[in-house]
Amino acid sequence: MLRLEGLSKTYEGGIAALDSCSLEFARAEVVAIIGPSGAGKSTLIRCINRLVEPTAGRVVLDGGDLTAMSHRQLRRARREIAMIFQEFNLVERLTVMENVLSGRLGYVSILQAAFRRFPPHDIDAAFALLDRVGLEGFENSRADQLSGGQRQRVGIARALMQEPKILLVDEPTSALDPKTARTIFELICGLARERGLPALINIHDVGLALMFAERVVGLARGHVVFDGPPAAVDEAVLTRIYGAADWRQTLRREEPEAGAGSARREAAS
Amino acid sequence: MTAQAGAARPARPRHWRKPPLIPNPALRWGLIVAVLAYLVWGIGDLEFDLERIARGIPRAFDMLGQMVPPDFARWELLLDGLVESLQMAIVATAAGAVVSIPIGLGAAANVAPAPVYWLSRGYIGLSRTFPEVLIAIFFVKAFGFGAFAGVLTLFIASTGFVGKLLAEEIEAMDPGQVEAVRATGAGPVHVLLFGILPQVMPRFIGLCIYRLDINLRESTILGIVGAGGVGAVLYNSFSRYEYDFSAAILLSIIAVVLVAEWASGVARARIT
Amino acid sequence: MTGTRQEAGGRPPRVWERYSRRQRMWQFAAYLGGVMAIVWAATAMDIYWPFVLDAPEQIGDLAGRMVPPDWPFFLDIVDPMIETINIATIGTLVGGLLSIPVALLAAQNLTPNKATLWLARVIVVGSRSVNELVWALIFAVVFGPGPAAGMVAIAVSSIGFTAKLVAEGIEEIEPGQVEAIRATGAGPAKVLIYGILPQIMPVIVGVMTFRWDINIRQSAIIGLVGAGGIGITLNTAMNSFAWREVTVILIAIFAIVAASEWISATLRKRMI
């Protein structure tokens, strides 16, 4: 489905954020990408849809080489790659509905976009998604009136609005309090499974990663240093990724809580 | 309807329109109609018709054609005008700076007694409301053509400008320092010299340099209404259709204005 | 000066000085230069000093002839006053519309390449460095005297100011919001409409409101060079020494300038 071949990125000034990473994502599964700050997690995710231009290597999605595409072709390809951001990145001064509908921008004309005349089936899908992420009735609120958790729910709805083939998620919970973070993370994983979507999730909370992911990729200094199931993550692996520390607390496995989608709990805050 | 996204769609599509800025439809449409009506009437009032545009565009190109290449042959006339503009700006700024200190003190609510405050504020309001050119044309009528009318104009504008901003500085200063000086038993003059002025002096000099920049800008055009400086040369070249000379003057003015803006910025950055 | 002499076995005597020697030399040079410039400007300027000494008397004389205002004349200036407001308002709208593409090219984070950035900068500098009155002079030649020339002059002189401030606003937008829209596969036009315009809309409206206030002031004077509005009436009244009519015109100008300042300030405060 998605294959990364020798993907590298060197920023101006010679900082090698990503050094020849090769990964294969063949199934619809939730992949957690963990690693310390500056390990290249964000760069890896952004190189896939070329928000960051990789300096070397290839990104192959369903047989098409994204790195070889023209701008026009890339825009078509991006329609099928959805992204969820750490800082939510909603257009703050637009309504929730406009933000969700912006997931369809790749499919409508410029005039339709300018006058917000999206086709009726897009409106239907947007309402259904808002209900699903727990924001029914919020469609006319402005994005800057929402709490952090609610904003990320809009971000999720916008991403799924694209009806993507793959979901890229960049630190979805770092800007949230621990409880909201967990709810949002569960929601993302749940939706990805529900829709049979492969999801690549950058996350620095190892506990959450081990709890919800089916596969864990460990990144350190731009290299892939671990790739395997959560069960295989032990103290030695974490030391390889993050360096030496007491990892016993982190590895005390918790059982995932049942019942996702509790938007209202963090809504009031 | 089920909560599952995309699963079952309702029989009839749901509608969504962006909520309008003005919810009341009567008010909204009333405003839209009023604005459109104003635009139609206002543009009509400007006597702007296609014929005028059609005649104007070739004339604009004709004028532009005559402007290149600019003619610097009479550079002495041009230089004289620029030097006079510079002199006007310097004298007006210096005199304005001196006079703006009492005005600034008078217009600071934390220093001045009420009658002085209102008098100073009134003067500032009056001098800032009228455009410089208007004051200049007035002085030209009173004193005849020449640099004096221009200097007086810029002087008045400077006192209002610097006075107002100086007053704001004084109002924003730290009252503790003034109290400390007063506590040593100093009289009002000493309070002024050691408590107030040291606090606002750097900003005051910065304001004066900023105003010098503005005055130089203005002094290049006051000549259009006869108040001295390079503007008179520019106006004459226009009325004699010597557009190549006009272009030379305009380029020189732009150069002087840009250099002044740059120098003023550098000088102010050094002070503060 | 600074005590550098080492006392045997002890510390050098402590001396307090506010500035270092280097700083003081610079300061001295700056003061000296400033004083010399003022002396040069004041003495070299071509001023007929008897006029200066005569000034208070002349102004008093003129003021005497200006009162009482010729109140019925007010009815005659209603039309030119409305024309003045129209010139300013429509000029601001036209200039604002034209300034948006310039602002997009002048913003470092959006401009496609160096050439477009410099093109936009040349437009901004050209529009800003040439005074409104000079633009009015030029367009009065191009389109013929009248309010149309004034409106175009106001529009052209607004482009630089508006574009510069809007470009600064664009440089401060949040890149994340734009990135998210790009990630959905939207092209440049849709990114502009959806990701950028909503962010800069408040800036555009605020800057244009601010500029409208300035333009009211300017459109009151461009009539002096034939570009329409109340300035023409003022010029006529002055040339025919109808000083009591001039007073009425000045009061009217004062009123609309003060009103526009208040409206503009109130609107901008509301928006924030």
Side-chain angles (χ1 to χ4, degrees):
Chain A
M1 198 171 257
L2 177 69
R3 200 169 66 246
L4 313 180
E5 296 170 7
L7 203 59
S8 303
K9 172 68 189 178
T10 309
Y11 285 103
E12 277 176 57
I15 306 152
L18 211 57
D19 189 5
S20 197
C21 284
S22 296
L23 286 166
E24 171 104 38
F25 306 96
R27 284 181 296 135
E29 58 185 357
V30 172
V31 183
I33 303 170
I34 59 172
S37 307
K41 303 193 296 285
S42 222
T43 307
L44 177 74
I45 288 274
R46 282 177 161 72
C47 277
I48 293 173
N49 61 359
R50 283 174 61 190
L51 282 178
V52 167
E53 251 348 298
T55 29
R58 303 203 315 147
V59 177
V60 183
L61 179 67
D62 281 350
D65 182 359
L66 287 158
T67 44
M69 285 181 179
S70 70
H71 281 287
R72 183 177 294 270
Q73 290 170 316
L74 176 65
R75 285 206 293 275
R76 293 197 149 269
R78 274 180 182 163
R79 302 193 303 196
E80 313 198 301
I81 309 171
M83 191 156 178
I84 295 169
F85 298 85
Q86 176 176 1
E87 300 290 342
F88 326 130
N89 288 0
L90 304 182
V91 183
E92 299 273 322
R93 294 179 49 83
L94 295 185
T95 58
V96 166
M97 186 52 120
E98 284 169 294
N99 271 291
V100 175
L101 287 172
S102 69
R104 301 304 292 174
L105 279 178
Y107 296 92
V108 298
S109 72
I110 291 172
L111 278 181
Q112 281 177 304
F115 294 101
R116 316 293 193 248
R117 291 293 150 100
F118 288 83
H121 58 87
D122 283 350
I123 308 267
D124 278 339
F127 272 118
L129 270 169
L130 280 176
D131 294 349
R132 175 64 183 87
V133 299
L135 286 176
E136 56 270 55
F138 279 90
E139 63 268 15
N140 287 339
S141 306
R142 241 170 64 163
D144 52 9
Q145 297 169 334
L146 303 184
S147 72
Q150 289 172 326
R151 286 184 203 204
Q152 195 57 294
R153 286 168 194 273
V154 179
I156 295 166
R158 171 175 67 190
L160 294 177
M161 199 61 204
Q162 287 178 239
E163 289 171 17
K165 284 184 191 163
I166 186 164
L167 199 54
L168 306 177
V169 190
D170 185 26
E171 300 279 7
T173 59
S174 311
L176 303 172
D177 67 79
K179 196 172 153 210
T180 314
R182 188 181 163 128
T183 328
I184 291 289
F185 200 78
E186 275 187 77
L187 180 64
I188 294 173
C189 297
L191 277 164
R193 291 203 181 95
E194 208 169 86
R195 305 186 150 220
L197 272 176
L200 273 58
I201 307 180
N202 281 341
I203 180 114
H204 67 212
D205 186 332
V206 180
L208 277 180
L210 299 182
M211 217 183 299
F212 293 104
E214 284 134 304
R215 178 179 163 191
V216 175
V217 170
L219 223 55
R221 292 174 306 281
H223 295 277
V224 177
V225 293
F226 174 81
D227 188 355
V233 177
D234 54 20
E235 282 185 53
V237 169
L238 287 179
T239 304
R240 220 188 313 154
I241 299 173
Y242 289 96
D246 182 7
W247 294 113
R248 274 168 302 179
Q249 195 65 26
T250 319
L251 289 172
R252 205 193 51 189
R253 317 254 157 179
E254 291 175 56
E255 287 306 309
E257 245 172 61
S262 41
R264 302 288 172 176
R265 261 187 278 155
E266 92 261 9
S269 66
Chain B
M1 209 191 82
T2 65
Q4 292 292 7
R9 281 184 175 148
R12 262 187 324 167
R14 284 202 271 177
H15 283 287
W16 181 82
R17 285 278 170 265
K18 189 179 168 63
L21 200 61
I22 303 160
N24 180 347
L27 186 63
R28 182 169 73 244
W29 285 105
L31 269 175
I32 292 172
V33 169
V35 167
L36 286 179
Y38 170 75
L39 285 179
V40 169
W41 166 75
I43 293 170
D45 190 46
L46 295 180
E47 298 160 27
F48 211 50
D49 47 55
L50 284 173
E51 192 204 355
R52 212 179 246 270
I53 300 173
R55 270 184 297 142
I57 286 171
R59 227 179 305 172
F61 278 103
D62 187 38
M63 191 172 175
L64 207 62
Q66 289 181 47
M67 280 184 156
V68 254
D71 176 20
F72 284 94
R74 276 175 287 164
W75 61 272
E76 281 174 313
L77 202 59
L78 169 57
L79 189 66
D80 279 351
L82 281 174
V83 167
E84 190 173 55
S85 283
L86 183 64
Q87 290 167 337
M88 284 161 58
I90 292 174
V91 172
T93 311
V98 173
V99 176
S100 67
I101 293 177
I103 291 175
L105 284 167
N110 55 343
V111 176
V116 178
Y117 174 79
W118 288 112
L119 202 67
S120 309
R121 284 281 163 182
Y123 170 79
I124 288 173
L126 208 63
S127 73
R128 282 170 54 80
T129 302
F130 286 112
E132 273 96 338
V133 175
L134 212 60
I135 304 177
I137 196 168
F138 212 68
F139 285 140
V140 169
K141 296 290 170 195
F143 308 112
F145 291 95
F148 179 59
V151 170
L152 210 55
T153 303
L154 295 178
F155 163 75
I156 287 181
S158 305
T159 53
F161 179 88
V162 180
K164 175 168 192 269
L165 296 177
L166 182 64
E168 277 163 18
E169 285 301 319
I170 296 173
E171 283 172 353
M173 73 185 176
D174 174 16
Q177 295 184 36
V178 180
E179 241 168 54
V181 176
R182 198 169 278 150
T184 64
V189 177
H190 283 95
V191 170
L192 181 67
L193 285 180
F194 294 99
I196 297 175
L197 284 187
Q199 284 197 62
V200 296
M201 211 54 197
R203 288 284 298 140
F204 173 67
I205 294 177
L207 286 176
C208 291
I209 295 173
Y210 183 34
R211 186 64 216 190
L212 180 63
D213 176 18
I214 300 174
N215 279 347
L216 186 59
R217 218 175 246 264
E218 289 294 325
S219 70
T220 59
I221 55 134
L222 288 182
I224 293 176
V225 293
V230 72
V233 190
L234 181 68
Y235 189 68
N236 287 338
S237 76
F238 259 103
S239 47
R240 290 190 203 129
Y241 310 108
E242 297 164 345
Y243 295 131
D244 47 354
F245 189 36
S246 309
I249 301 167
L250 276 178
L251 288 177
S252 313
I253 291 178
I254 293 176
V256 168
V257 165
L258 287 182
V259 169
E261 191 173 310
W262 170 80
S264 149
V266 170
R268 277 182 290 147
R270 280 211 145 195
I271 289 167
T272 46
Chain C
M1 292 304 288
T2 42
T4 46
R5 195 162 49 93
Q6 287 285 128
E7 282 176 48
R11 291 179 300 171
R14 287 196 288 179
V15 173
W16 182 82
E17 276 184 22
R18 194 158 160 209
Y19 299 105
S20 74
R21 183 190 293 213
R22 215 183 136 74
Q23 276 177 315
R24 294 208 309 186
M25 284 191 25
W26 270 109
Q27 266 182 5
F28 182 70
Y31 281 130
L32 191 70
V35 170
M36 276 167 60
I38 294 168
V39 171
W40 163 74
T43 50
M45 198 163 34
D46 187 21
I47 286 183
Y48 185 57
W49 289 98
F51 274 180
V52 181
L53 302 175
D54 206 22
E57 201 182 317
Q58 288 288 338
I59 295 179
D61 185 40
L62 196 57
R65 271 181 282 163
M66 286 178 70
V67 284
D70 183 6
W71 292 116
F73 184 65
F74 186 75
L75 291 175
D76 293 353
I77 61 168
V78 170
D79 276 351
M81 288 306 280
I82 290 174
E83 189 174 88
T84 304
I85 296 171
N86 285 348
I87 291 172
T89 309
I90 293 169
T92 309
L93 288 174
V94 173
L97 281 179
L98 293 175
S99 73
I100 290 174
V102 180
L104 294 172
L105 296 183
Q108 304 233 19
N109 50 348
L110 285 192
T111 196
N113 55 49
K114 275 250 149 55
T116 53
L117 180 67
W118 280 103
L119 174 72
R121 282 191 175 163
V122 166
I123 295 174
V124 168
V125 168
S127 158
R128 266 163 50 84
S129 324
V130 175
N131 191 281
E132 287 85 355
L133 213 54
V134 179
W135 281 123
L137 210 56
I138 293 174
F139 287 112
V141 174
V142 171
F143 292 115
M151 187 278 278
V152 177
I154 292 289
V156 168
S157 65
S158 302
I159 291 176
F161 177 91
T162 315
K164 183 171 188 256
L165 294 181
V166 171
E168 279 167 13
I170 294 175
E171 283 167 6
E172 280 166 22
I173 60 174
E174 260 188 65
Q177 301 181 21
V178 181
E179 189 185 41
I181 299 294
R182 272 206 298 148
T184 65
K190 290 178 203 161
V191 170
L192 180 69
I193 294 168
Y194 233 93
I196 297 169
L197 275 187
Q199 291 198 63
I200 59 169
M201 220 47 210
V203 179
I204 294 177
V205 176
V207 171
M208 276 177 63
T209 314
F210 186 28
R211 185 67 207 186
W212 175 73
D213 173 25
I214 298 174
N215 284 345
I216 288 276
R217 222 174 271 249
Q218 296 299 341
S219 61
I221 58 162
I222 52 175
L224 296 175
V225 294
I230 190 74
I232 292 179
T233 324
L234 179 67
N235 212 13
T236 316
M238 278 190 167
N239 287 337
S240 54
F241 305 104
W243 294 107
R244 292 168 53 212
E245 290 177 7
V246 170
T247 314
V248 175
I249 297 171
L250 290 182
I251 291 171
I253 291 178
F254 185 87
I256 58 160
V257 170
S260 77
E261 199 173 316
W262 179 79
I263 292 170
S264 165
T266 316
L267 279 180
R268 275 179 290 144
K269 217 176 282 171
R270 278 264 180 95
M271 274 182 284
I272 302 164

